[in-house]
Amino acid sequence: MDVIERWSGRYACLLQSALRLGNEQFATHLGIAVRTVATWHSDAGLVPRREMQQLLDTAHEQAPAAAQQRFTLLLARERAPAESAPTGAQALRVAIAVVIRDSDVLLVCRRDDDAAGITWQFPAGVIKPGGKAETTTVRETLDETGVHCAVRRHLGNRLHPATGVLCDYFLCEYLAGEATNSDVAENIDVMWVPRNAVTRFIPVDTIFPPILAVLEEQT
């Protein structure tokens, strides 16, 4: 079992992902306030106070074997870029838009060349070196779906548990435009989905916990 000498907001969020708990569930599991968990997601470098370090130690030590294995994998992916990337190299970063329109959320259906076939995701785009994540979020959403949106707030970032890519998540407000598949090379379909139905399209264990919290707030 990996030993964490000092927990940070990032490591706490990795443990949460490994346990597959939403913000409220993780807070209850630790016996802390939900806002504390939300703070870890918004400030990855935050170092929790000593009592919190002990709570995280206990949660880690008492986690089921499968969850500990997931945590080890997530931790390895977290540490790999810093340890193996060539000097001057920039890790791949992706901006992801959670676009809300009334009771719906915007999803795109990606073309996938592997055996897994097609997959539903939130609109996303690679952040170019020197580029701004917020600008990428708005531009890529428009290019992919024909929908104009505005960034409302940053939901946090993480290494995606399935791809290992560093993702920045933004809650966005719908402004105008009809949802259409504007990028047929990358996507098969674009659709507005009821907020409470998102987990029918995207496995709940792969959804960033702050997104789940937002969807719950909006319902």
PDB file of all heavy atoms in Angstrom, residues 80-95:
ATOM      1  N   ALA A  80       3.736  10.409 -12.626  1.00  0.00           N
ATOM      2  CA  ALA A  80       4.503  10.092 -13.831  1.00  0.00           C
ATOM      3  C   ALA A  80       4.937  11.297 -14.636  1.00  0.00           C
ATOM      4  O   ALA A  80       6.096  11.387 -15.040  1.00  0.00           O
ATOM      5  CB  ALA A  80       3.711   9.119 -14.709  1.00  0.00           C
ATOM      6  N   PRO A  81       4.063  12.274 -14.935  1.00  0.00           N
ATOM      7  CA  PRO A  81       4.493  13.401 -15.763  1.00  0.00           C
ATOM      8  C   PRO A  81       5.676  14.160 -15.180  1.00  0.00           C
ATOM      9  O   PRO A  81       6.598  14.531 -15.880  1.00  0.00           O
ATOM     10  CB  PRO A  81       3.244  14.291 -15.819  1.00  0.00           C
ATOM     11  CG  PRO A  81       2.112  13.355 -15.584  1.00  0.00           C
ATOM     12  CD  PRO A  81       2.655  12.361 -14.599  1.00  0.00           C
ATOM     13  N   ALA A  82       5.652  14.380 -13.861  1.00  0.00           N
ATOM     14  CA  ALA A  82       6.723  15.144 -13.235  1.00  0.00           C
ATOM     15  C   ALA A  82       8.035  14.384 -13.228  1.00  0.00           C
ATOM     16  O   ALA A  82       9.115  14.960 -13.279  1.00  0.00           O
ATOM     17  CB  ALA A  82       6.335  15.505 -11.801  1.00  0.00           C
ATOM     18  N   GLU A  83       7.949  13.044 -13.179  1.00  0.00           N
ATOM     19  CA  GLU A  83       9.154  12.235 -13.071  1.00  0.00           C
ATOM     20  C   GLU A  83       9.741  11.876 -14.420  1.00  0.00           C
ATOM     21  O   GLU A  83      10.935  11.659 -14.557  1.00  0.00           O
ATOM     22  CB  GLU A  83       8.851  10.949 -12.282  1.00  0.00           C
ATOM     23  CG  GLU A  83       8.454  11.228 -10.833  1.00  0.00           C
ATOM     24  CD  GLU A  83       8.012   9.970 -10.118  1.00  0.00           C
ATOM     25  OE1 GLU A  83       7.914   8.928 -10.796  1.00  0.00           O
ATOM     26  OE2 GLU A  83       7.756  10.020  -8.904  1.00  0.00           O
ATOM     27  N   SER A  84       8.888  11.787 -15.468  1.00  0.00           N
ATOM     28  CA  SER A  84       9.369  11.269 -16.746  1.00  0.00           C
ATOM     29  C   SER A  84       9.339  12.249 -17.894  1.00  0.00           C
ATOM     30  O   SER A  84       9.928  11.986 -18.936  1.00  0.00           O
ATOM     31  CB  SER A  84       8.538  10.031 -17.135  1.00  0.00           C
ATOM     32  OG  SER A  84       7.181  10.393 -17.306  1.00  0.00           O
ATOM     33  N   ALA A  85       8.658  13.382 -17.747  1.00  0.00           N
ATOM     34  CA  ALA A  85       8.563  14.305 -18.872  1.00  0.00           C
ATOM     35  C   ALA A  85       9.896  14.971 -19.134  1.00  0.00           C
ATOM     36  O   ALA A  85      10.600  15.373 -18.206  1.00  0.00           O
ATOM     37  CB  ALA A  85       7.513  15.377 -18.564  1.00  0.00           C
ATOM     38  N   PRO A  86      10.312  15.111 -20.411  1.00  0.00           N
ATOM     39  CA  PRO A  86      11.559  15.786 -20.738  1.00  0.00           C
ATOM     40  C   PRO A  86      11.509  17.243 -20.289  1.00  0.00           C
ATOM     41  O   PRO A  86      10.446  17.840 -20.195  1.00  0.00           O
ATOM     42  CB  PRO A  86      11.612  15.676 -22.273  1.00  0.00           C
ATOM     43  CG  PRO A  86      10.685  14.565 -22.632  1.00  0.00           C
ATOM     44  CD  PRO A  86       9.610  14.612 -21.590  1.00  0.00           C
ATOM     45  N   THR A  87      12.684  17.819 -20.025  1.00  0.00           N
ATOM     46  CA  THR A  87      12.754  19.215 -19.618  1.00  0.00           C
ATOM     47  C   THR A  87      12.132  20.100 -20.684  1.00  0.00           C
ATOM     48  O   THR A  87      12.430  19.971 -21.870  1.00  0.00           O
ATOM     49  CB  THR A  87      14.219  19.624 -19.397  1.00  0.00           C
ATOM     50  OG1 THR A  87      14.794  18.761 -18.417  1.00  0.00           O
ATOM     51  CG2 THR A  87      14.308  21.074 -18.943  1.00  0.00           C
ATOM     52  N   GLY A  88      11.266  21.008 -20.271  1.00  0.00           N
ATOM     53  CA  GLY A  88      10.627  21.922 -21.211  1.00  0.00           C
ATOM     54  C   GLY A  88       9.364  21.371 -21.820  1.00  0.00           C
ATOM     55  O   GLY A  88       8.637  22.094 -22.491  1.00  0.00           O
ATOM     56  N   ALA A  89       9.049  20.096 -21.601  1.00  0.00           N
ATOM     57  CA  ALA A  89       7.845  19.505 -22.183  1.00  0.00           C
ATOM     58  C   ALA A  89       6.622  19.955 -21.392  1.00  0.00           C
ATOM     59  O   ALA A  89       6.700  20.214 -20.200  1.00  0.00           O
ATOM     60  CB  ALA A  89       7.934  17.976 -22.171  1.00  0.00           C
ATOM     61  N   GLN A  90       5.489  20.040 -22.072  1.00  0.00           N
ATOM     62  CA  GLN A  90       4.243  20.428 -21.406  1.00  0.00           C
ATOM     63  C   GLN A  90       3.264  19.272 -21.463  1.00  0.00           C
ATOM     64  O   GLN A  90       3.034  18.705 -22.532  1.00  0.00           O
ATOM     65  CB  GLN A  90       3.640  21.660 -22.081  1.00  0.00           C
ATOM     66  CG  GLN A  90       2.311  22.081 -21.465  1.00  0.00           C
ATOM     67  CD  GLN A  90       1.860  23.428 -21.985  1.00  0.00           C
ATOM     68  OE1 GLN A  90       2.647  24.326 -22.165  1.00  0.00           O
ATOM     69  NE2 GLN A  90       0.566  23.550 -22.249  1.00  0.00           N
ATOM     70  N   ALA A  91       2.713  18.916 -20.312  1.00  0.00           N
ATOM     71  CA  ALA A  91       1.758  17.816 -20.269  1.00  0.00           C
ATOM     72  C   ALA A  91       0.503  18.183 -21.060  1.00  0.00           C
ATOM     73  O   ALA A  91       0.112  19.342 -21.123  1.00  0.00           O
ATOM     74  CB  ALA A  91       1.394  17.506 -18.818  1.00  0.00           C
ATOM     75  N   LEU A  92      -0.108  17.174 -21.664  1.00  0.00           N
ATOM     76  CA  LEU A  92      -1.335  17.394 -22.419  1.00  0.00           C
ATOM     77  C   LEU A  92      -2.443  17.829 -21.473  1.00  0.00           C
ATOM     78  O   LEU A  92      -2.716  17.163 -20.478  1.00  0.00           O
ATOM     79  CB  LEU A  92      -1.732  16.104 -23.144  1.00  0.00           C
ATOM     80  CG  LEU A  92      -3.011  16.163 -23.971  1.00  0.00           C
ATOM     81  CD1 LEU A  92      -2.857  17.141 -25.130  1.00  0.00           C
ATOM     82  CD2 LEU A  92      -3.367  14.769 -24.493  1.00  0.00           C
ATOM     83  N   ARG A  93      -3.089  18.949 -21.780  1.00  0.00           N
ATOM     84  CA  ARG A  93      -4.194  19.467 -20.965  1.00  0.00           C
ATOM     85  C   ARG A  93      -5.422  19.611 -21.840  1.00  0.00           C
ATOM     86  O   ARG A  93      -5.338  20.022 -22.997  1.00  0.00           O
ATOM     87  CB  ARG A  93      -3.851  20.822 -20.349  1.00  0.00           C
ATOM     88  CG  ARG A  93      -2.761  20.788 -19.305  1.00  0.00           C
ATOM     89  CD  ARG A  93      -2.464  22.203 -18.813  1.00  0.00           C
ATOM     90  NE  ARG A  93      -3.636  22.820 -18.211  1.00  0.00           N
ATOM     91  CZ  ARG A  93      -3.867  24.133 -18.248  1.00  0.00           C
ATOM     92  NH1 ARG A  93      -3.051  24.943 -18.866  1.00  0.00           N
ATOM     93  NH2 ARG A  93      -4.955  24.625 -17.666  1.00  0.00           N
ATOM     94  N   VAL A  94      -6.557  19.265 -21.262  1.00  0.00           N
ATOM     95  CA  VAL A  94      -7.823  19.339 -21.987  1.00  0.00           C
ATOM     96  C   VAL A  94      -8.808  20.176 -21.186  1.00  0.00           C
ATOM     97  O   VAL A  94      -8.920  20.022 -19.970  1.00  0.00           O
ATOM     98  CB  VAL A  94      -8.400  17.921 -22.223  1.00  0.00           C
ATOM     99  CG1 VAL A  94      -9.803  17.994 -22.800  1.00  0.00           C
ATOM    100  CG2 VAL A  94      -7.491  17.130 -23.152  1.00  0.00           C
ATOM    101  N   ALA A  95      -9.520  21.062 -21.881  1.00  0.00           N
ATOM    102  CA  ALA A  95     -10.576  21.864 -21.255  1.00  0.00           C
ATOM    103  C   ALA A  95     -11.914  21.202 -21.528  1.00  0.00           C
ATOM    104  O   ALA A  95     -12.203  20.830 -22.678  1.00  0.00           O
ATOM    105  CB  ALA A  95     -10.563  23.285 -21.817  1.00  0.00           C
TER     106      ALA A  95
END
